[in-house]
Amino acid sequence: MNFTFAHNNLNVYNLDKSVNFYQEALDLKVVRTKEASDGSFILKFLGDGVTPHQLELTWIRDMDRPYNLGDNEIHLAFAVDDIDAALARHKKMNCVCYENTNMGVYFIEDPDGYWIEIIPQK
């Protein structure tokens, strides 16, 4: 028996804003969309065009407030081949929320408050 990653899910309050953020910040592209026939939810699957792993963004029609992430310490991580250029892009977008210069990594924050770790490719 072999388990392999398929996707990670994040629930988002404003689907268009979130999709735009992930496209601009991380060059992800929408690879698949699923909409409920009754309009109760929309799923957007984003991919990096390199790995098979996908990020699923879920919008739920009846959610009437931004999500409360509480003390959620879960985060996504992306490796990048030019961390200095990536950091400059993210600073320009004003989405850098934490830098750890000793470790050579930093975090950006998406529109819903989820943190994404940016690490140098090895």
Side-chain angles (χ1 to χ4, degrees):
M1 180 179 336
N2 294 314
F3 294 94
T4 59
F5 272 108
H7 66 266
N8 287 86
N9 169 263
L10 297 176
N11 284 11
V12 299
Y13 185 65
N14 181 319
L15 185 58
D16 290 335
K17 186 175 183 179
S18 293
V19 167
N20 289 338
F21 172 83
Y22 283 95
Q23 288 176 332
E24 182 179 355
L26 300 167
D27 298 328
L28 298 182
K29 305 284 186 247
V30 175
V31 296
R32 184 165 57 104
T33 300
K34 178 179 173 79
E35 297 187 36
S37 59
D38 64 358
S40 60
F41 69 85
I42 300 172
L43 309 177
K44 295 269 185 180
F45 292 85
L46 290 81
D48 61 16
V50 177
T51 67
H53 194 90
Q54 296 177 351
L55 175 61
E56 174 189 349
L57 300 179
T58 300
W59 172 82
I60 299 173
R61 178 188 59 208
D62 295 335
M63 187 57 164
D64 61 355
R65 58 176 168 68
Y67 287 93
N68 178 350
L69 303 183
D71 292 331
N72 188 351
E73 289 290 330
I74 294 171
H75 67 270
L76 302 173
F78 283 81
V80 65
D81 60 351
D82 187 342
I83 197 154
D84 294 328
L87 181 59
R89 176 194 293 189
H90 295 141
K91 282 187 174 184
K92 185 176 181 182
M93 291 177 63
N94 198 32
C95 63
V96 176
C97 56
Y98 179 74
E99 288 183 67
N100 186 328
T101 54
N102 289 337
M103 292 180 64
V105 303
Y106 67 94
F107 289 80
I108 58 175
E109 186 173 357
D110 87 349
D112 290 280
Y114 296 106
W115 281 28
I116 300 105
E117 183 178 11
I118 308 299
I119 61 175
Q121 250 175 10
K122 295 182 179 175

